[in-house]
Amino acid sequence: METSGAMWIHVEEAMVLGRGTRLLAGAVTVACMVLVGPSAPSGVLFARALPVEAVRDVVPNRVMTWNICNPCEASNVDRAAEIATYAPQVIGLQEACVRDVERIRDHLENLHGLVYHVEYGMVLRDWGRCGGAPWSPGAFGQAVLSAAPMTDRVNVEYPDGGSEARGYMAVTTMVGGRPVRVFNTHLAQRRQEAVRADQTGVLAADAARHDRAILLGDFNAVPDAPELTRIWALAADTDPQCPPSPTGTCEPTTDWHSKFDYVFLRGIAPLEHHVQPTPYSDHHLLHTDLDPTQSP
């Protein structure tokens, strides 16, 4: 009887211990579910949270341009969140590394439910800016993200980039349900007016071939700068308060209070125009809603 009693005591202790172990395991599981979220795969305790559902769709008639500043100490998660706030149909990025654009695009899809196609217009390979192995540096230049597929991409490096290689890219995609040719450029740095004048000549000659076109990017010039004359002759800025005149009330798009960033329209009428300062670049986000069914 003593042996049987001892065995019963051991069994009871084991049962208590088992219950304690199960309770502890249950508590750990609950804690992990709180940390990871209810979407974690079954049987995986410490898994990356799955993408959240999209809180919105892209705005089909909205386009954006943003010089994301490179090199700058900015998180691609933060950059993606800034873009997702406005959810444009088409996004033109300048000073972009391929690796950064890939990550921004992934974050837009995985964290915000916004799916974009991407095309690149890279003009140089730069290890200092874009990382990579010294013998295989990352590509640097422009990129266009579009919720609709893009076709007929061209990538043109200007014959004279100035102090650094510069160029433009162009794609055909859908904005507001209608096809349009989108150009994305980054002109030569400040105090290189003659170089920029030659660059806008190249860009304008290509854009003039299209009845409906959007020219966006960092033009590194204020609205009344002589080097933008060919662009103004071809298209209108989406900001109706910003004519090519020193008396215009143009909203600044940079931290140094100058307007350098534009969305020019050819054969398309604007609806709304917004400039959004951001802590993640020395250039503001510029986005505009268009009426593709109406000509200006």
Side-chain angles (χ1 to χ4, degrees), residues 11-275:
V11 170
E12 188 174 31
E13 289 175 346
M15 291 174 65
V16 172
L17 180 60
R19 284 197 298 271
T21 303
R22 288 194 298 274
L23 289 173
L24 177 60
V28 171
T29 300
V30 170
C32 290
M33 289 180 66
V34 171
L35 292 173
V36 175
S39 299
S42 176
V44 179
L45 294 181
F46 298 99
R48 180 179 63 84
L50 294 181
V52 298
E53 293 183 1
V55 296
R56 68 170 72 186
D57 293 326
V58 297
V59 181
N61 65 327
R62 179 170 294 168
V63 298
M64 171 187 287
T65 183
W66 190 19
N67 182 321
I68 60 175
C69 185
N70 187 294
C72 283
E73 297 297 327
S75 163
N76 289 317
V77 171
D78 293 331
R79 287 167 169 163
E82 289 282 85
I83 293 171
T85 300
Y86 310 104
Q89 170 81 7
V90 172
I91 307 153
L93 300 178
Q94 304 89 42
E95 293 196 19
C97 296
V98 168
R99 290 183 179 88
D100 287 330
V101 175
E102 289 173 343
R103 290 165 184 157
I104 290 169
R105 183 189 180 203
D106 288 344
H107 295 324
L108 285 167
E109 180 173 358
N110 296 335
L111 300 180
H112 305 283
L114 300 173
V115 180
Y116 288 97
H117 304 266
V118 63
E119 293 287 353
Y120 296 99
M122 298 300 155
V123 293
L124 57 87
R125 293 187 173 274
D126 193 314
W127 180 83
R129 287 181 180 267
C130 297
W135 56 89
S136 182
F140 175 80
Q142 288 75 245
V144 171
L145 284 73
S146 174
M150 292 174 277
T151 60
D152 303 320
R153 180 190 68 88
V154 299
N155 183 32
V156 176
E157 184 174 341
Y158 292 124
D160 183 359
S163 56
E164 180 180 79
R166 295 290 165 91
Y168 73 88
M169 61 179 297
V171 298
T172 298
T173 189
M174 304 293 287
V175 177
R178 296 189 63 187
V180 63
R181 192 66 170 167
V182 177
F183 295 82
N184 181 19
T185 191
H186 187 191
L187 300 186
Q189 295 172 342
R190 288 175 288 178
R191 296 180 295 279
Q192 300 181 77
E193 292 83 357
V195 175
R196 286 195 299 273
D198 290 341
Q199 293 172 348
T200 56
V202 174
L203 175 62
D206 192 351
R209 298 168 45 240
H210 303 273
D211 294 332
R212 293 167 38 80
I214 301 171
L215 293 77
L216 52 80
D218 176 3
F219 287 72
N220 265 319
V222 295
D224 62 331
E227 59 264 35
L228 295 186
T229 301
R230 295 181 184 177
I231 302 298
W232 284 112
L234 184 74
D237 186 42
T238 56
D239 184 355
Q241 304 301 319
C242 186
S245 161
T247 60
T249 57
C250 302
E251 189 171 0
T253 65
T254 65
D255 287 352
W256 52 92
H257 308 295
S258 295
K259 178 178 171 67
F260 278 6
D261 305 271
Y262 299 82
V263 176
F264 287 107
L265 302 178
R266 176 174 170 83
I268 305 172
L271 290 176
E272 295 184 11
H273 174 90
H274 298 279
V275 177

